[in-house]
Amino acid sequence: MCGIVGYMGPKDPKDVIIHGLETLEYRGYDSAGISVLNQGKYERIRAQGKLVNLKEKLEGKSFPGGVGIGHTRWATHGAPVEKNAHPHKVYQVNIVHNGIIENNEELRVELKKQGSVFESDTDSELVAHLVHYANDGANNLYEAVIKIISKLEGAYSILVVSEEYPDQIVAFKNGPPLVIGVCDDAREVVIASDIQAIMPYTKDVVYLEDNEVAFLTGESVSYFDIEGKSLDKKVTTIKWDAEQAEKQGYEHFMLKEIYEQPRAVSAAIEPHVDALKNTVSLKNVGFGLDYDKLIEGDLTADEVAADIKSTLDTFKNLERVFIVGCGTSFYAGMVGEYYIENLAKVPVEIELASEFRYRNPIIPKDSLVIFITQSGETADTLAALRQVKSEGVKTLSICNVRRSSIDRESDGHLYMNAGVEVGVASTKAFVTSLAVLNLISISIAKAKGEISEEKESRLLMGLLEAPKHMDSVLAYSHFFSYAADTLKKFKGFLYMGRGVNYPIALEGALKMKELAYKHAEGYAAGEMKHGPLALIDEKMAIVMVAPKDALYDKTLSNLEESKARGGAIISIGTGEDEQLKKLSEHYLSLPEAHWTVNPLIEVIPLQLLSYYVADSLGNDVDRPRNLAKSVTVE
Ligand code: M6R
């Protein structure tokens, strides 16, 4: 994780870097720091905790030197204290680092033998020591950095500055993302982990690929591979603007993002709907197509038609689907399992990326492996993708961040189109993944001849109504805040659901854990009497997801069993459900929808309950403790 920013240009680097770090704080917020050129020397200022602490330390200071680097940290090696904050400084050299140096121990021992004294417990500091030694005999900073790369193992990205070459910055990527915004003929350059930090200055960016180096001199930016071969990098113009990432009057990004969900779902569905025929055709998936051409939208009409056919052929021939993800993306995948197995009658295995990659899974060649990830950078999901690709099995990603590693490396590409999601707790990404999984299941079912045209159109019409239903739930958000007031006094939570509602219970529990720091478990309601029922007493709150679907009666019996043991019940059901009302302290009513659409609607009350409980407890809703948005370490 961690966010890094570098700046070279006419502005005060402190201002650009701090603004950049604000947009990157979602990547970690254990500490922050900057090193900025000041009269030929790099002045380093660091602070433990959130960026606001660093900003306090910087108040009233200005730096006319025009060069600097900065960092916001999510601790991996070493406690979240100031001595471990970046930048790390060894004599003239200052570095910021995102990722992990896996041979840290070995290199430290070697460096200590050479006389290095370490001031931090991080793996990052050794990079500064290595560059310090490598400066000897180098003609510029690029030569020094390139000498040390072969010594480092792991997935990491770094920015390096040195007082010996005060007007140079070197950036190297091997894993975590690095984007370079070049303005004013390279006289002004911003480098960052995410384009959001660059957007206020330019929309023209260059994406560094793994094992590529960028060398900034104030007059030019040159790109090289690790062999030193000069690279001609393509400039990409970003199409969205930074305003999309502002709070727009909401108290928190998470709340804004919850409210954006209906529009996000429409944006996820619309590109793949043939409105005249009322059919689904997945467009620009790109199996076997050139990625750059695809993402730039440079396909001819013939190529678009061929692509639609190629996706249908892929779906027609597959015998098994695997869905891989982490956290909320994994739960979205679980819902996808119900969709695909029910509609397309293809067996699905849903896998946690962190487990999948280490259990030597058997993946038949005629499988399709779907990877779900908001960030497109989750380390375990990326490693699992690479493993599957190395076995020659076809992959399809559902990403939110375009051009992210997982998006670029997968064979086929579908997008959540959720817009920027800043809150660490995933909301828009979840519902848009469900929308895309809905479309995938309809397409596979169609390709395999499992559904009639009439059923396809019915399913699609149901899905197209999802945003309207979601809006109607959001209109009652004051009610969720009221229910949250009852819930906040409970210490433990059991979320339950059956069938497709079970993953929604898991997702609801995850939201309560990560936002309110309350112990919450998600359970398949039918499992209660096999153990968890013993947990229930008057201190336990039970959140039951019980829409009127095929399993409704069974769910109701499970609820009765819990009620008899004394737990406080919050239930979520369809319309005016008198039975649920009678059993519950709070009953949250949802509009009637098709079972495939229910999950997109049901999750909203669960998100809002957690949001309001967390907020009323004074927790930082957008940046829950110990977490980060983009988990680029194992
Ligand atoms: O970017 P990804 O979708 O791959 O992230 C996966 C998880 O880290 C993420 O969903 C996490 O569980 C969220 N914080 C949950 O709200």
Side-chain angles (χ1 to χ4, degrees):
M1 269 92 79
C2 305
I4 57 186
V5 184
Y7 178 75
M8 186 175 273
K11 301 189 177 73
D12 184 335
K14 172 204 76 179
D15 296 336
V16 179
I17 293 168
I18 292 298
H19 176 269
L21 294 179
E22 276 168 351
T23 70
L24 297 178
E25 231 188 339
Y26 73 88
R27 302 177 68 88
Y29 32 81
D30 290 329
S31 63
I34 61 171
S35 284
V36 252
L37 198 59
N38 198 3
Q39 298 179 339
K41 301 270 170 222
Y42 274 98
E43 192 171 332
R44 178 175 67 158
I45 302 119
R46 301 179 296 170
Q48 184 175 335
K50 292 186 177 146
L51 192 60
V52 63
N53 302 343
L54 176 66
K55 278 161 75 178
E56 263 171 32
K57 284 194 172 177
L58 287 167
E59 229 155 75
K61 288 182 183 268
S62 63
F63 301 90
V67 188
I69 56 175
H71 187 273
T72 179
R73 177 170 190 246
W74 187 79
T76 56
H77 293 60
V81 293
E82 185 170 326
K83 73 165 184 172
N84 291 329
H86 298 221
H88 290 286
K89 185 173 169 76
V90 173
Y91 299 103
Q92 307 91 329
V93 178
N94 288 254
I95 68 106
V96 288
H97 160 229
N98 177 18
I100 289 184
I101 311 292
E102 281 170 3
N103 53 341
N104 165 47
E105 290 302 330
E106 219 174 293
L107 289 172
R108 265 183 174 243
V109 172
E110 239 174 67
L111 283 161
K112 279 184 186 161
K113 278 192 204 147
Q114 286 180 59
S116 292
V117 177
F118 284 82
E119 64 165 34
S120 78
D121 308 316
T122 65
D123 53 343
S124 318
E125 186 187 345
L126 65 86
V127 178
H129 285 277
L130 289 172
V131 177
H132 163 67
Y133 288 121
N135 260 337
D136 202 12
N139 293 309
N140 54 40
L141 192 56
Y142 163 72
E143 284 187 14
V145 174
I146 204 81
K147 275 202 265 178
I148 71 150
I149 294 301
S150 59
K151 299 193 164 78
L152 303 175
E153 289 170 17
Y156 60 90
S157 290
I158 50 172
L159 298 182
V160 186
V161 292
S162 173
E163 285 161 13
E164 278 176 316
Y165 315 102
D167 51 0
Q168 298 179 4
I169 299 181
V170 175
F172 175 73
K173 173 184 183 302
N174 178 30
L178 270 186
V179 194
I180 304 181
V182 185
C183 345
D184 193 17
D185 283 337
R187 280 186 287 271
E188 184 172 29
V189 182
V190 190
I191 311 176
S193 308
D194 187 323
I195 47 172
Q196 284 182 64
I198 297 173
M199 293 298 293
Y201 313 100
T202 179
K203 288 185 181 170
D204 292 332
V205 300
V206 172
Y207 289 88
L208 274 195
E209 301 291 338
D210 283 353
N211 291 314
E212 289 183 355
V213 189
F215 180 34
L216 282 61
T217 63
E219 282 157 3
S220 66
V221 185
S222 324
Y223 303 94
F224 302 95
D225 66 13
I226 33 174
E227 310 299 332
K229 194 174 117 220
S230 168
L231 302 171
D232 190 13
K233 294 286 293 177
K234 181 166 173 263
V235 177
T236 302
T237 303
I238 302 300
K239 294 196 177 101
W240 55 268
D241 61 69
E243 202 215 333
Q244 284 178 269
E246 297 301 324
K247 280 193 207 147
Q248 292 166 6
Y250 287 92
E251 202 180 332
H252 296 103
F253 279 110
M254 184 187 174
L255 193 59
K256 170 182 162 257
E257 287 158 6
I258 288 174
Y259 275 87
E260 285 173 346
Q261 292 181 111
R263 301 292 81 72
V265 165
S266 297
I269 304 167
E270 268 161 17
H272 309 291
V273 171
D274 187 328
L276 285 179
K277 295 193 212 135
N278 216 1
T279 53
V280 175
S281 58
L282 295 180
K283 294 199 190 73
N284 289 358
V285 179
F287 286 117
L289 286 180
D290 175 71
Y291 177 77
D292 280 323
K293 208 169 157 190
L294 181 78
I295 197 141
E296 292 297 333
D298 284 347
L299 301 186
T300 62
D302 285 349
E303 283 169 328
V304 170
D307 178 61
I308 292 172
K309 184 170 176 311
S310 141
T311 303
L312 280 175
D313 287 345
T314 301
F315 287 176
K316 189 173 171 189
N317 296 323
L318 60 85
E319 289 297 324
R320 181 175 292 273
V321 172
F322 289 78
I323 307 180
V324 183
C326 298
T328 291
S329 291
F330 171 74
Y331 295 145
M334 280 180 83
V335 178
E337 180 182 22
Y338 287 90
Y339 290 161
I340 298 171
E341 289 199 339
N342 272 282
L343 301 180
K345 311 280 181 261
V346 174
V348 179
E349 284 184 40
I350 163 81
E351 304 271 0
L352 281 167
S354 53
E355 290 295 316
F356 182 71
R357 56 184 293 205
Y358 292 114
R359 71 169 181 82
N360 300 321
I362 297 160
I363 318 166
K365 289 272 182 273
D366 47 11
S367 308
L368 174 71
V369 188
I370 302 176
F371 294 86
I372 306 179
T373 167
Q374 189 285 133
S375 61
E377 300 294 347
T378 300
D380 284 316
T381 314
L382 179 58
L385 168 75
R386 288 179 177 160
Q387 188 175 327
V388 172
K389 282 194 75 177
S390 73
E391 291 180 30
V393 178
K394 229 175 218 175
T395 59
L396 169 66
S397 61
I398 305 175
C399 291
N400 194 34
V401 179
R402 285 172 191 244
R403 295 184 187 277
S404 56
S405 303
I406 293 170
D407 176 31
R408 279 180 287 139
E409 293 186 28
S410 53
D411 301 312
H413 320 264
L414 284 167
Y415 297 103
M416 298 174 188
N417 284 347
V420 182
E421 190 178 74
V422 176
V424 164
S426 195
T427 51
K428 292 194 282 182
F430 183 70
V431 290
T432 52
S433 298
L434 299 189
V436 175
L437 286 161
N438 250 297
L439 297 173
I440 292 176
S441 62
I442 296 172
S443 293
I444 301 178
K446 185 155 95 165
K448 291 215 165 264
E450 287 292 338
I451 52 171
S452 61
E453 272 178 27
E454 190 267 324
K455 183 158 184 192
E456 176 185 359
S457 122
R458 217 164 359 102
L459 288 165
L460 179 59
M461 270 156 59
L463 183 59
L464 289 168
E465 296 221 311
K468 181 184 82 189
H469 294 320
M470 295 164 86
D471 271 328
S472 75
V473 177
L474 285 166
Y476 289 96
S477 80
H478 59 281
F479 185 71
F480 305 117
S481 128
Y482 172 63
D485 217 45
T486 316
L487 282 186
K488 73 177 183 217
K489 61 178 188 285
F490 288 93
K491 273 186 111 168
F493 291 80
L494 271 175
Y495 284 70
M496 295 183 236
R498 292 186 84 120
V500 75
N501 312 304
Y502 164 46
I504 302 304
L506 291 167
E507 170 62 4
L510 176 62
K511 287 288 158 288
M512 190 57 88
K513 283 185 256 224
E514 70 176 333
L515 294 165
Y517 318 148
K518 298 257 191 195
H519 185 225
E521 292 287 340
Y523 255 95
E527 273 292 295
M528 291 309 291
K529 48 178 125 18
H530 300 289
L533 214 50
L535 283 172
I536 297 179
D537 60 16
E538 65 290 347
K539 292 194 204 90
M540 178 72 79
I542 291 155
V543 183
M544 180 62 96
V545 188
K548 285 233 171 83
D549 60 11
L551 293 169
Y552 172 77
D553 290 338
K554 298 209 178 303
T555 313
L556 205 65
S557 319
N558 299 135
L559 193 61
E560 303 259 15
E561 289 153 13
S562 303
K563 175 80 180 170
R565 269 90 191 165
I569 292 171
I570 313 284
S571 60
I572 296 169
T574 311
E576 293 303 310
D577 186 325
E578 295 306 327
Q579 280 171 293
L580 281 183
K581 275 190 194 168
K582 215 162 58 198
L583 288 168
S584 316
E585 225 107 320
H586 290 286
Y587 169 68
L588 313 175
S589 152
L590 301 179
E592 197 173 337
H594 192 265
W595 72 266
T596 52
V597 178
N598 277 339
L600 287 91
I601 310 168
E602 290 158 5
V603 75
I604 294 178
L606 304 188
Q607 295 165 342
L608 284 167
L609 285 177
S610 302
Y611 169 83
Y612 285 119
V613 171
D615 191 38
S616 67
L617 293 171
N619 296 354
D620 186 339
V621 178
D622 284 334
R623 290 164 303 180
R625 69 185 180 199
N626 307 336
L627 299 178
K629 181 89 185 144
S630 178
V631 185
T632 54
V633 292
E634 273 189 50

